[in-house]
Amino acid sequence: MIQRYDFAPLDGITKVVFRQVYHRMFGGADRYFIPFFSPTDQHILTKQDQRELDPAANAGLPVVPQVMTCRAPDFLWAAEIVADMGYTEVNLNLGCPSGTVTAKGKGAGFLAKPEELDRFFDEVFAAVKLPEEFERLLDIYNRYPIACLTIHPRVQKQFYKGTVHRDWFAWAAERSRNPLCYNGDLVTVEDCTVFAVDFPAIDAVMIGRGAIADPALLRKLRGGVPATRQELQTFTRTLYQSYQAPPSDAGGVRGGGGIHFPGAASAGPRGRGLRVRTASPKSGKEAEEYSSASFPRISEGDQIQPHLVAEYPVRLSGQAGDYQLTGGADDGLVQMPAEGAALL
């Protein structure tokens, strides 16, 4: 039975302002994972990393910092930094499939070097004071008292496309000595219900795209009500206004990242593509006009489903080749495969 819902770190989207507004308006997440930061050679936190990690900015939010590195000394430095801030847990990113990341041997690229990964953990856990308490990789993980191992059962080359291999997760669930958290293609209440039936012993899941597509998803999973038109309108307006606040008050994201309206990063019903209308408002007035023109299409009480993303003006970010334009040059439609809409 699922007892914990984690909000996945979506790079460029789930920044501190988004976390604050989302948690205040919708809630439902037990933990929010802060999008990764990579330790610099000089072991200095950038101003952006400081803003994202700032305990004051994250006050009242159950957050977990995430680190991206393949060097044990860098990880240990980062762990010490976040510990000094009061955090009791740190997450190591071993899943990012981006080519610019894997080329450096980080993220999913680290998984291709099991011997180095083994040495990494050996050095890390030898230096950390701990309380008593795919075959080769799981063997490595099983050697160490990892607080929670989150598994997204795809390989790096898939990115977030194609079939998610639940059979691989089932294999790991039978053999892991560490608590597991499942991540992958949970975008509706029905998806989570089916997963809970298939894996009754797993009590934690991580959700990303589904909660961006339907901000009330985590609330609904706890028996709450769907999002109303007014809530969504207030949510996007509050997000926009918060992004425009001075950096010292809004996590320093002024002018960056664009406005991601509900549905922007959704994977729709499996096997079906998404048609997403894009818009890039140049001013607050334009953003309000886009929002006002869009939300009347939603009837009061309608449940927001991932396939409704075509109804929202959004800005999409991603690597070249992740999406392709369709239709006329003026209609701004983007066609992507359902599994290719991930912005992690």
Side-chain angles (χ1 to χ4, degrees), residues 67-193:
V67 177
M68 172 85 78
T69 185
C70 59
R71 297 184 67 252
D74 290 346
F75 181 86
L76 290 169
W77 170 81
E80 184 176 356
I81 288 294
V82 299
D84 289 343
M85 293 180 177
Y87 295 103
T88 59
E89 182 177 352
V90 62
N91 182 264
L92 174 66
N93 186 311
L94 290 173
C96 181
S98 170
T100 57
V101 169
T102 58
K104 299 175 183 177
K106 301 178 182 181
F110 206 175
L111 300 181
K113 304 174 181 179
E115 293 82 6
E116 293 184 20
L117 181 63
D118 195 11
R119 288 195 294 270
F120 174 93
F121 280 131
D122 193 42
E123 186 173 346
V124 165
F125 283 97
V128 176
K129 294 180 180 179
L130 296 169
E132 293 198 11
E133 352 168 41
F134 339 146
E135 199 164 344
R136 177 75 188 279
L137 292 172
L138 192 62
D139 285 343
I140 293 173
Y141 298 142
N142 279 340
R143 296 176 194 171
Y144 305 95
I146 296 172
C148 180
L149 179 63
T150 301
I151 295 180
H152 186 135
R154 283 189 172 100
V155 295
Q156 182 268 328
K157 291 183 179 179
Q158 285 183 273
F159 279 67
Y160 300 99
K161 305 173 184 177
T163 302
V164 62
H165 301 281
R166 292 275 177 88
D167 54 331
W168 297 358
F169 183 82
W171 181 89
E174 292 178 357
R175 295 165 176 78
S176 178
R177 298 177 185 174
N178 297 301
L180 297 184
C181 175
Y182 174 82
N183 181 7
D185 286 11
L186 298 180
V187 298
T188 65
V189 171
E190 291 72 24
D191 290 336
C192 294
T193 300

Side-chain angles (χ1 to χ4, degrees), residues 12-56:
I13 299 179
T14 57
K15 290 188 173 185
V16 63
V17 169
F18 182 94
R19 296 193 297 272
Q20 292 169 335
V21 176
Y22 181 94
H23 188 71
R24 185 166 66 247
M25 293 196 60
F26 295 100
D30 290 291
R31 301 188 300 179
Y32 297 87
F33 282 71
I34 301 174
F36 70 82
F37 72 97
S38 295
T40 64
D41 294 336
Q42 297 78 24
H43 284 183
I44 298 174
L45 280 179
T46 66
K47 290 184 178 181
Q48 178 177 322
D49 293 337
Q50 291 177 37
R51 288 191 291 265
E52 285 296 306
L53 295 167
D54 182 10

Side-chain angles (χ1 to χ4, degrees), residues 8-11 13 97-98 152 154 158-162 183-185 187 208-210 212 260 263-268 274 316-319 322-323 336-344:
L10 304 180
D11 190 30
I13 299 179
S98 170
H152 186 135
R154 283 189 172 100
Q158 285 183 273
F159 279 67
Y160 300 99
K161 305 173 184 177
N183 181 7
D185 286 11
V187 298
R209 290 171 284 172
I212 296 296
H260 295 269
S266 168
L274 304 177
L316 295 176
S317 60
Q319 291 181 294
D322 283 354
Y323 47 82
M336 1 175 173
E339 304 301 325
L343 300 183
L344 283 174

